[in-house]
Structures are given as C-alpha cells and as structure tokens.
C-alpha cells in the first residue's frame, strides 16, 4: 500500500522532524510522488479512490514511521474528503485535481463544530448569508498547517442555529493566520488559530448547508472515527517493536511484552473489522469503544517503554521520549466525551485496600 522506501525515509527522520519543528516539506513531497495524496480523491479528479481497508492499512504503516507527517496527512485528507463528498461539482473541479498531486495543500478547521469549545454559548465562527456570499467572523481553533494551506475546510453557525461547511481560500481579505501554538508534541504540524474578520466568501465555495448539525450529515468521517484510532495503533506498533528488541536481551521483559503484543493484535483485528463491514452492520458504539481501547493501549505501552529504557528514554531526542509525548496527543485529539470519561475512569481507578 505504502512504498517501503517512503516508510523507511519517514522512520529515519521522525526524530529530526520533532526536534526541528520544521514543516515536513520533503515528507509531503514524498507522499505526493508515491501516490499517497490521491488516496482520498476520486479517480475522475486524478486520485486513486482507495478502499477503507487500504486507507487504514496505509495510515497504520505511516503512523508507525512518523506520527507528525501522518497526522498532517489526516487533516489534509479530512479536507479533501469533505470537498469530494460535496454536491458542489464546480468546487470539486476547482480544487481536487491540484490537491491530488500535491500542487496545493488543504486542511481542516472543524473542531469548533464537534468537540472543541462546545461549552461556549457564542459560536466560535459566526456565519451570515448575504445574497450570494457567506460572511464569516470569529476564530478557527486547531488548524494544522494553516500557514501552508491554500484552503481551509471549516464551518460557521448562523443566527438561527443552522451551520455551513465551506472551503475557505486563505488568500481572502480578513483571513489572518496566528503564530503556531507550541505543543507538547507534533510542533512541526504548525497547528494554529485562524482569525476570520468580516471574510466574504462566494457561495461557490460552499460544501454543505445551511443545515442543523452539518458535521452529522455525512460529509466525511466524524469525531472519534477509526482513523484517529489507527494512528494510535501505528504508534503502539512502533513501541512494540522497541520492546520486543529489548526483550531479546532481557528475558525478564518477555511476559509483559507478550501481554501487550496480544492486546495489540486483538485491537488491530477489531479495528480492521470496520473496513470489512458496512456501517449498518456495526453498533453505534463501535468507533468509541475502539478509540477507548486504542487510547488506553498507546498510553500504557509507551509508559512501559519509558520504564524499560530508564534514564536514556527520558532524554530529549530518544525515540521513547518522543513516543511518550506523541501518545499524550490522543488524549486531546478529536476526543469525544464518552472517550474522555473512559480515560478518567481508568486513571481514577484504584484497588480497594480495605
């Protein structure tokens, strides 16, 4: 699915990407050259339109090699997926061919419509329909690669509560990319807030709406989807390999490593079941259950690796130190409330000593 040479290149440079914080230009160019950027785009627009199973396997391989590059890819693919799912043929013809070959870069800014800032009464982005234009005001949080994007798929809420989903050109007057946030990990993703101040957007850039709860209307994978979980799976595989290498020279680790490997294998089997069944065959709790298990495993397996690596793994630049920080990201990335509550329950559990 993914060119092994590409996977090797990503793995060899993942620590450098993290340490430098530089936007991974060569990595993204490599994904374009090996056809990865066409995965999510229909063939008629120059893509390859791969299956769900192939997509998940590809993300798995890439996340095992470099979490930062793979995360950026998911945000770019999330934008492409929503554009491709639109009924706006003019917009698809305008954007998708260049996106398929990496001539342009798109990203998403939709967390304010799903998990982020839902406790705040005033919408993060207020939308007004003014004739043939949509006027946007507010701040879009958590936009990965904002400074490098030509298009941000984002949305806003109208006064009557309905929402719109749009492909926002970053060159429009009033679009202001703020300095990237300093994160615990994945700084090279250059995730930032984007301010929109009286931005007037022609309706030709409308993906969907205005409708209520636009993010539940089938325009791409939703919050807590298995895409997020498969990246946690890939990171867990990377650390499982490290632990197995250590167990070959330290026999006392064999039992612990085997337990984690068995859990990883079961999680992998269950996750890939989603690609072999229609959505109608799956219980509604499937994605959340997989996400809870993936979060739990990636946290525990990286902590186990830190214990095994001892002081060396606590030094910046060590692969285990990097993996520990990357694992923390899954506690906040696209993490719906049921998953948060599950994490809190696991962290707060203690034995009854009475």
């Amino acid at each position: 699915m993914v060119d092994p040479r590409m996977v090797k290149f990503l793995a060899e440079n993942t620590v450098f990407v993290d340490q430098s914080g530089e936007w991974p230009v060569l990595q993204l160019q490599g994904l374009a050259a090996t056809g990865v950027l066409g995965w999510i785009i229909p063939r008629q627009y120059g893509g390859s339109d791969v299956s769900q199973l192939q997509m998940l396997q590809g993300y798995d391989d890439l996340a095992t090699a470099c979490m930062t590059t793979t995360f950026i890819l998911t945000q770019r693919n999330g934008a492409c997926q929503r554009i491709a799912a639109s009924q706006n043929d003019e917009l698809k013809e305008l954007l998708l061919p260049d996106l398929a070959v990496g001539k342009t870069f798109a990203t998403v800014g939709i967390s304010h419509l799903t998990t982020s800032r839902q406790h705040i009464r005033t919408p993060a982005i207020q939308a007004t329909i003014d004739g043939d234009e949509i006027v946007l005001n507010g701040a879009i949080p958590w936009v990965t690669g904002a400074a490098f994007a030509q298009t941000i798929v984002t949305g806003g809420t109208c006064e009557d509560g309905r929402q719109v989903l749009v492909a926002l050109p970053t060159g429009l007057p009033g679009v202001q990319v703020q300095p990237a946030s300093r994160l615990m990990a994945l700084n090279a993703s250059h995730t930032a807030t984007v301010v929109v101040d009286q931005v007037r957007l022609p309706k030709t850039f409308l993906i969907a709406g205005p409708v209520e709860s636009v993010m539940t209307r089938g325009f791409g994978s939703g919050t807590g989807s298995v895409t997020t979980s498969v990246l946690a799976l890939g990171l867990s595989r990377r650390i499982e390999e490290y632990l197995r290498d250590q167990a070959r020279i330290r026999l006392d680790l064999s039992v612990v490593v085997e337990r984690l490997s068995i859990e990883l294998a079961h999680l992998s089997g269950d996750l890939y079941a989603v690609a072999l069944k229609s959505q109608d065959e799956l219980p509604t709790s499937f994605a959340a259950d997989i996400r809870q298990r993936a979060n739990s495993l990636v946290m525990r397996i990286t902590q186990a690796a830190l214990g095994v690596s001892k002081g060396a793994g606590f030094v910046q630049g060590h692969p285990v130190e990097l993996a520990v920080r990357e694992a923390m990201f899954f506690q906040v990335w696209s993490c719906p409330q049921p998953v948060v509550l599950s994490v809190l329950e696991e962290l707060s559990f203690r034995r009854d000593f009475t």
Side-chain angles (χ1 to χ4, degrees):
M1 181 60 191
V2 182
D3 189 324
R5 293 169 297 179
M6 188 66 212
V7 174
K8 183 174 184 289
F9 172 73
L10 291 177
E12 289 173 345
N13 289 278
T14 187
V15 173
F16 171 78
V17 168
D18 174 74
Q19 293 289 293
S20 70
E22 296 176 4
W23 182 249
V25 174
L26 293 178
Q27 284 78 354
L28 294 173
Q29 288 176 346
L31 295 182
T34 53
V36 171
L37 298 187
W39 285 356
I40 202 71
I41 295 175
R43 291 184 185 277
Q44 69 188 96
Y45 301 108
S48 51
D49 205 12
V50 301
S51 69
Q52 171 81 337
L53 177 61
Q54 291 173 313
M55 179 82 69
L56 292 177
Q57 289 172 332
Y59 282 143
D60 198 340
D61 290 342
L62 292 170
T64 300
C66 180
M67 183 60 61
T68 299
T69 303
T70 311
F71 170 61
I72 292 170
L73 177 65
T74 66
Q75 303 307 284
R76 177 262 182 198
N77 282 359
C80 295
Q81 185 177 23
R82 289 171 172 86
I83 295 167
S86 172
Q87 299 299 310
N88 188 340
D89 291 335
E90 182 181 355
L91 182 65
K92 290 188 281 190
E93 290 282 359
L94 177 66
L95 298 179
L96 291 178
D98 283 350
L99 286 167
V101 295
K103 287 181 67 176
T104 56
F105 177 74
T107 188
V108 289
I110 55 174
S111 64
H112 59 287
L113 300 174
T114 55
T115 57
S116 178
R117 304 190 183 186
Q118 292 298 290
H119 59 288
I120 299 176
R121 285 182 177 272
T122 303
I125 299 295
Q126 300 171 52
T128 304
I129 309 298
D130 184 12
D132 291 333
E133 294 182 317
I134 302 165
V135 184
L136 301 177
N137 280 288
I140 313 169
W142 301 106
V143 183
T144 292
F148 302 90
Q150 288 75 44
T151 303
I152 300 172
V153 171
T154 188
T157 303
C158 301
E159 190 174 5
D160 61 5
R162 294 182 301 164
Q163 295 176 330
V164 293
L165 194 66
V166 301
L168 173 67
T170 55
L172 286 178
V175 179
Q176 306 161 28
V177 178
Q178 304 300 296
S181 301
R182 291 292 299 170
L183 307 176
M184 183 183 294
L186 285 76
N187 273 308
S189 69
H190 287 255
T191 297
T193 294
V194 177
V195 173
V196 285
D197 182 12
Q198 289 293 319
V199 174
R200 304 189 74 87
L201 181 70
K203 278 188 177 178
T204 51
F205 291 92
L206 182 67
I207 294 174
V211 293
E212 293 185 4
S213 304
V214 71
M215 294 304 295
T216 65
R217 299 302 181 102
F219 297 99
S221 56
T223 303
S225 72
V226 291
T227 296
T228 311
S229 299
V230 83
L231 265 65
L233 188 70
L235 178 55
S236 297
R237 289 194 203 283
R238 186 200 310 169
I239 293 304
E240 180 201 26
E241 183 177 344
Y242 170 83
L243 289 172
R244 284 196 174 280
D245 287 343
Q246 294 299 307
R248 292 187 185 98
I249 56 178
R250 294 175 53 183
L251 297 180
D252 57 311
L253 300 177
S254 298
V255 173
V256 171
V257 174
E258 190 61 26
R259 286 175 183 166
L260 290 168
S261 294
I262 290 172
E263 182 178 354
L264 178 58
H266 280 292
L267 175 62
S268 179
D270 291 344
L271 187 150
Y272 281 110
V274 73
L276 302 175
K277 296 182 180 180
S278 70
Q279 293 300 308
D280 293 337
E281 294 179 279
L282 295 167
T284 55
S285 60
F286 180 88
D289 177 65
I290 290 292
R291 180 65 190 277
Q292 290 162 11
R293 291 167 56 192
N295 270 29
S296 176
L297 177 59
V298 76
M299 291 289 291
R300 288 182 288 108
I301 199 168
T302 53
Q303 292 292 317
L306 181 60
V308 167
S309 64
K310 300 184 178 180
F314 201 68
V315 176
Q316 283 193 4
H318 192 282
V320 169
E321 176 267 342
L322 171 59
V324 169
R325 288 188 287 108
E326 289 176 337
M328 293 292 182
F329 181 54
F330 293 97
Q331 302 291 66
V332 297
W333 176 32
S334 189
C335 210
Q337 194 59 22
V339 176
V340 174
L341 293 175
S342 175
V343 170
L344 295 176
E345 182 178 350
E346 182 172 7
L347 291 174
S348 63
F349 175 80
R350 71 175 205 172
R351 292 195 182 114
D352 185 356
F353 292 104
T354 59

